[in-house]
């Protein structure tokens, strides 16, 4: 998510006289910023397999299709990770982060929500993104019923991960990085965050109200230099969760490079919290 367009959209809502549907659509556009673009241009996905997940959406009433990237481990019985990316860039834009999670020992399935990349067209919402994540989780359960399965979300994907984790009971653990307590809290950290726009926010992503419902170990990771999502929001989210849990503050990590800078801390946390020993 970028601060400027999101804030402008929400601040402008104070004077919008159009219907609620228009307000909601504008928020969805600026929060998700759906596209088929990759971070920094074309990203290497040569060692990843294209997968397609088809399901009947109860939200749209249509058959939908999600594009995903699959990066398996060569050894049998490896833990499987569902990777949920953040706003603006398609799944290929997360190839570096996907590869690093693979290096930590996971087989990784990373999906594009509807409206992103090669997935079904449409303007995503909090509801449809949650439905997409659930469809991918069910696909993993069918394809890898005996593998321990974990959920990972970066930035906006962290909120989607928390919603998924609280709605299923077969995940071994949940990992979120650079995520937040709620969209309203994020907006309040902006320069003009004192404006009373919170009641107008329709896409709320109130993870702070949901995180205590997660029934598996939770790892919350944040970069100390994250200027987009302040580390205090990650800490507040962690404090609202139940044990077992762990918080990692990666010194020098930004919103975009924390996963790389904190790779060593990830390894330690996987061993202590999830009993996973990286190769």
């Amino acid at each position: 998510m970028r601060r400027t367009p999101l804030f402008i959209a929400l601040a402008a809502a104070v004077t919008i006289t159009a219907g609620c549907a228009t307000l909601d659509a504008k928020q969805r556009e600026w929060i998700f910023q759906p596209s088929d673009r990759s971070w920094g241009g074309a990203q290497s996905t040569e060692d990843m397999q294209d997968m397609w997940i088809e399901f009947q959406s109860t939200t749209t009433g249509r058959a939908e299709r999600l594009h995903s990237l699959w990066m398996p481990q060569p050894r049998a019985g490896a833990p499987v990770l569902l990777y949920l990316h953040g706003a603006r860039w398609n799944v290929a834009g997360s190839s570096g982060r996907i590869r690093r999670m693979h290096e930590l020992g996971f087989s990784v399935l990373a999906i594009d929500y509807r409206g992103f990349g090669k997935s079904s067209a449409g303007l995503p919402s909090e509801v449809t993104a949650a439905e997409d994540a659930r469809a991918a989780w069910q696909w993993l359960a069918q394809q890898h019923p005996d593998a321990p399965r974990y959920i990972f979300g970066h930035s906006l994907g962290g909120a989607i991960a928390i919603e998924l984790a609280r709605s299923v009971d077969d995940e071994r653990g949940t990992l979120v990085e650079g995520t937040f307590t709620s969209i309203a809290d994020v907006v309040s950290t902006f320069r003009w965050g004192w404006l009373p726009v919170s009641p107008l926010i329709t896409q709320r992503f109130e993870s702070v109200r949901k995180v205590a419902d997660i029934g598996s170990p939770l790892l919350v990771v944040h970069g100390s230099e994250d200027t987009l999502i302040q580390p205090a929001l990650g800490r507040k989210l962690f404090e609202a969760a139940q044990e077992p849990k762990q918080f990692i503050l990666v010194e020098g990590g930004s919103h975009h490079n924390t996963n790389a800078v904190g790779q060593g801390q990830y390894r330690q946390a996987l061993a202590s919290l999830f009993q996973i020993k990286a190769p």
Side-chain angles (χ1 to χ4, degrees):
M1 297 183 304
R2 290 180 297 177
R3 289 188 173 204
T4 302
L6 175 60
F7 176 75
I8 291 174
L10 295 173
V14 176
T15 57
I16 286 178
T17 57
C20 293
T22 300
L23 174 59
D24 179 65
K26 286 298 182 182
Q27 290 184 38
R28 290 159 63 186
E29 288 174 8
W30 267 289
I31 289 172
F32 282 92
Q33 301 173 60
S35 75
D36 60 0
R37 295 174 296 171
S38 296
W39 169 263
Q43 301 289 310
S44 174
T45 59
E46 292 179 358
D47 47 356
M48 303 175 192
Q49 304 169 27
D50 290 309
M51 293 290 177
W52 298 93
I53 299 169
E54 299 182 352
F55 66 101
Q56 187 70 25
S57 170
T58 59
T59 303
T60 65
R62 300 191 301 264
E64 305 287 2
R65 195 174 192 226
L66 305 179
H67 173 245
S68 62
L69 296 174
W70 171 241
M71 194 173 187
Q73 287 287 337
R75 63 184 179 87
V80 177
L81 185 78
L82 174 60
Y83 181 101
L84 302 168
H85 68 70
R88 194 181 181 192
W89 310 107
N90 69 14
V91 69
S94 292
S95 60
R97 200 174 288 108
I98 294 167
R99 197 167 285 109
R100 284 188 291 274
M101 299 310 291
H102 182 266
E103 291 170 357
L104 290 173
F106 293 103
S107 293
V108 182
L109 179 76
I111 68 166
D112 258 335
Y113 319 112
R114 278 170 276 178
F116 284 84
K118 302 173 185 176
S119 292
S120 294
L123 181 61
S125 70
E126 183 173 3
V127 172
T128 62
E131 189 177 42
D132 294 344
R134 185 64 179 266
W137 187 252
Q138 292 172 344
W139 184 90
L140 275 179
Q142 294 168 359
Q143 298 296 318
H144 304 276
D146 299 324
R149 284 172 285 122
Y150 294 79
I151 304 169
F152 176 93
H154 174 251
S155 191
L156 183 62
I160 299 167
I162 289 170
E163 170 61 29
L164 175 63
R166 76 155 183 164
S167 66
V168 299
D169 58 8
D170 55 350
E171 85 285 7
R172 290 289 188 88
T174 305
L175 305 81
V176 295
E177 178 188 318
T179 195
F180 50 83
T181 48
S182 70
I183 288 293
D185 284 348
V186 174
V187 172
S188 73
T189 67
F190 296 170
R191 183 178 179 183
W192 303 108
W194 53 268
L195 287 173
V197 299
S198 180
L200 299 172
I201 298 175
T202 62
Q203 304 294 300
R204 303 196 65 84
F205 288 98
E206 292 186 321
S207 296
V208 71
R209 297 178 180 269
K210 304 173 182 178
V211 70
D213 296 332
I214 295 178
S216 61
L218 173 68
L219 177 63
V220 179
V221 182
H222 221 105
S224 65
E225 305 305 312
D226 191 335
T227 57
L228 181 60
I229 307 296
Q230 292 186 3
L233 296 184
R235 171 67 75 172
K236 183 178 178 182
L237 181 68
F238 167 78
E239 292 173 349
Q242 298 187 67
E243 297 283 356
K245 60 183 178 179
Q246 187 171 341
F247 182 81
I248 295 177
L249 183 66
V250 178
E251 292 296 334
S254 70
H255 193 67
H256 304 294
N257 71 5
T258 289
N259 191 263
V261 175
Q263 191 78 337
Q265 291 169 268
Y266 261 104
R267 287 178 180 271
Q268 294 175 4
L270 290 180
S272 62
L273 188 61
F274 303 124
Q275 289 74 55
I276 295 175
K277 293 186 177 180

